[in-house]
Amino acid sequence: MTQQPLVLTRRQFATSIAGGLAAAPAFSSQDPVVLREYATAAQLDGSVAIHPTKQFVVWKGPGSAVLNVETERPGDYYVAVAYACGKPGSRLTLRSGDSRITTITRAIHGFFDNDVYHPIDNFELVPLEGRLKLQRGKNQLAITVSDPQTTDPLAVCWVELTPAGGVKRVAAEVKEARAARSSTDWFVKSAYGLMFHWTAQSQPRSGAAKQYADAVRDFPVSSFVDSVRQTGAGHVIFTLNHAVQHCPAPIQFWEKYHPGLTTGRDLIGELAEGLHQAGVRLILYINLVGAFSSPNVDSKGFVEKCCDVLEEIGHRYGRKLDGYWFDGWNGAYSRYHDIRHDLVFRACKAGNPDRITAFNFWILPVCTELNEYWAGEVISPTPLPTSRYIGCGANRSLQSHFLLFLDAPWVHSKPNTEMEPPRFPSEKIVDYVDQCAKRQAVVTINLGIYQDGIIGPKALEYMSAVRRRIRGS
């Protein structure tokens, strides 16, 4: 019987996490390595093209994608393909030298199983029967689709190859990684929370915007916390940075890497204290990939910068910082194939070992077991989850969590304009949060916020209705 490497392929590098978060080992030539090869780097032929998002390759008919694979470990490899399909039944063949695997694509199920989303929005990392042989050095891996079904037969993000000799070790380390996760019980109890993209791009209702440092200086923490309390939210996700690399606190390592973009006022600390006193948990949104990755920074440098900042932040705010939501993490993995995710995950626990973390891979398969909840960036309050822990699709085994924006498209960035109107009827949002809570799934709703810290009044009405349904008051 062919071994199925389903859990094996969720880790890129085998790392030792014995005892939860033990010291991370240095890699050696003996460490089994899971190779991840991105389809967007392939040579394409036939009815196949890179998707406009540049995140995956889409077949519209027969065609092939040829990847260059280099390894120092010759031998047999198990194969898994991260794919989505509009309709199952296409013939998919992977070939390396004289070895090949042929399979028929199956239906991929996940959160995006309804008419609101495109058929190729549901991705999953699918293990295939059989093995491919790789020689030492350079190899060509051809992915061919024949007998395609419909106009959207297949979309492929990447192929993962696990050396046969590393199967047991990688499986054990996946188990240990899951055991290293912090509890999400408080998150489930929260039921729903709010997200605020308050950034250097945020605009006032009218007039000229203030400079970022001045806006931070004048941010009304007390009235903001009162507004949050009015909504009944159990948690708040607040942006540290977003498209621009400003940080609303005197974080020394952030200042080192982004001179002049920190502030004297510790707005994060004041928010953490105010929300903590109100019984509301704080989660920080950080775009580490946007802040610290570039063509001039290698994987080691990127991870070091991330860890420097996270350890300082974690120790500074301690137990008053309950979680992280990291954006763009699919970009980190596609840029850095040897990323030491275990080091970043351990840095997330600095000052609070119970802190929970989501790494946003968008709709793509989550590449690591080292995170606690799904980032859950969705566009609509449908469909409903089936359980607390996700059982299929791109985010298998993670705590169910869904994030959508209600009014402003994440950031209220248009000068001299009123807050954008809510996108959905009030009752639809109320029912959605209620049904998710009954399934122990968490919902976060992004509300537009003016530069002066004022939330849109219509959104506050909506969230007050949610509070009455969920909290009973």
Side-chain angles (χ1 to χ4, degrees):
M1 179 182 294
T2 303
Q3 289 180 282
Q4 293 299 299
L6 177 61
V7 296
L8 312 180
T9 53
R10 308 305 298 277
R11 299 285 291 118
Q12 182 175 8
F13 273 91
T15 57
S16 175
I17 321 170
L21 288 170
F27 290 127
S28 73
S29 60
Q30 302 305 311
D31 287 320
V33 177
V34 177
L35 302 175
R36 180 178 290 109
E37 303 296 337
Y38 285 81
T40 50
Q43 180 179 342
L44 308 179
D45 183 60
S47 299
V48 55
I50 296 176
H51 189 264
T53 62
K54 302 187 186 303
Q55 298 293 310
F56 47 87
V57 165
V58 178
W59 275 261
K60 296 290 186 179
S64 63
V66 179
L67 286 160
N68 293 315
V69 180
E70 191 165 352
T71 181
E72 294 301 314
R73 294 174 175 80
D76 289 350
Y77 281 74
Y78 291 109
V79 180
V81 182
Y83 75 77
C85 55
K87 184 177 181 181
S90 297
R91 183 178 297 275
L92 175 65
T93 300
L94 284 82
R95 186 180 70 254
S96 175
D98 295 330
S99 62
R100 70 175 58 198
I101 296 173
T102 297
T103 188
I104 302 299
T105 58
R106 65 170 175 81
I108 303 297
H109 297 290
F111 175 79
F112 305 103
D113 276 340
N114 73 5
D115 294 338
V116 174
Y117 300 96
H118 193 279
I120 61 170
D121 281 347
N122 271 320
F123 280 89
E124 187 169 322
L125 190 59
V126 180
L128 307 183
E129 293 278 354
R131 305 182 190 184
L132 290 179
K133 289 187 179 293
L134 298 181
Q135 64 182 14
R136 188 185 305 278
K138 296 180 179 180
N139 300 263
Q140 283 197 330
L141 173 63
I143 311 168
T144 303
V145 174
S146 55
D147 302 326
Q149 297 291 316
T150 73
T151 57
D152 291 303
L154 190 70
V156 173
C157 310
W158 59 75
V159 177
E160 291 192 2
L161 302 117
T162 304
V167 164
K168 290 183 179 179
R169 176 174 172 178
V170 177
E173 286 162 350
V174 168
K175 183 178 180 180
E176 290 168 355
R178 291 186 178 184
R181 294 173 177 171
S182 298
S183 171
T184 56
D185 287 352
W186 73 260
F187 202 38
V188 171
K189 186 178 179 180
S190 170
Y192 71 94
L194 305 175
M195 187 181 206
F196 296 98
H197 276 69
W198 190 85
T199 76
Q201 295 177 313
S202 296
Q203 294 290 319
R205 178 183 284 105
S206 62
K210 296 177 181 178
Q211 293 294 316
Y212 181 76
D214 293 336
V216 170
R217 179 198 63 204
D218 297 337
F219 190 92
V221 170
S222 179
S223 61
F224 172 79
V225 171
D226 286 343
S227 294
V228 170
R229 186 187 288 110
Q230 179 182 333
T231 70
H235 64 274
V236 163
I237 303 179
F238 197 88
T239 48
L240 182 148
N241 69 316
H242 187 235
V244 183
Q245 306 313 321
H246 286 284
C247 170
I251 305 302
Q252 294 179 17
F253 273 112
W254 198 277
E255 179 66 24
K256 174 183 176 180
Y257 299 129
H258 295 291
L261 297 187
T262 60
T263 60
R265 183 186 186 185
D266 188 351
L267 180 57
I268 295 171
E270 292 184 33
L271 287 171
E273 178 64 33
L275 291 169
H276 177 76
Q277 291 182 5
V280 179
R281 305 273 190 150
L282 175 63
I283 297 173
L284 274 185
Y285 167 108
I286 309 179
N287 187 343
L288 292 170
V289 180
F292 301 129
S293 72
S294 74
N296 299 322
V297 177
D298 62 11
S299 174
K300 182 180 179 182
F302 171 70
V303 169
E304 285 179 350
K305 290 180 178 182
C306 291
C307 291
D308 285 344
V309 166
L310 292 175
E311 288 171 3
E312 181 181 351
I313 288 173
H315 287 301
R316 184 181 186 94
Y317 303 120
R319 291 281 182 177
K320 293 178 183 177
L321 177 60
D322 298 283
Y324 290 112
W325 196 98
F326 295 125
D327 209 353
W329 213 249
N330 51 305
Y333 268 72
S334 61
R335 181 184 291 274
Y336 302 120
H337 295 182
D338 58 345
I339 191 170
R340 286 294 304 274
H341 191 97
D342 59 313
L343 299 179
V344 177
F345 184 73
R346 192 167 72 243
C348 291
K349 307 297 184 181
N352 182 0
D354 297 324
R355 196 174 289 132
I356 64 173
T357 300
F359 294 88
N360 186 22
F361 285 83
W362 186 44
I363 63 174
L364 307 182
V366 177
C367 294
T368 173
E369 299 292 341
L370 288 171
N371 54 162
E372 283 88 5
Y373 67 103
W374 186 38
E377 187 176 3
V378 299
I379 62 174
S380 171
T382 53
L384 290 170
T386 57
S387 62
R388 174 175 177 175
Y389 297 102
I390 300 168
C392 64
N395 34 52
R396 183 191 303 270
S397 86
L398 294 175
Q399 165 71 50
S400 293
H401 168 250
F402 307 105
L403 168 67
L404 69 158
F405 67 88
L406 179 60
D407 43 17
W410 304 114
V411 183
H412 179 73
S413 58
K414 296 180 180 178
N416 297 304
T417 58
E418 295 292 326
M419 189 60 63
E420 293 84 344
R423 297 189 298 141
F424 312 104
S426 175
E427 194 59 30
K428 187 171 185 177
I429 292 295
V430 173
D431 286 344
Y432 179 66
V433 174
D434 187 24
Q435 292 302 313
C436 285
K438 289 175 179 176
R439 293 164 172 81
Q440 295 188 298
V442 185
V443 178
T444 302
I445 299 176
N446 189 92
L447 302 186
I449 184 171
Y450 292 112
Q451 190 185 49
D452 61 5
I454 304 300
I455 302 167
K458 197 67 177 178
L460 283 178
E461 288 181 22
Y462 272 47
M463 298 314 302
S464 295
V466 172
R467 184 201 70 226
R468 289 190 292 273
R469 174 76 68 87
I470 305 302
R471 311 297 186 204
S473 62

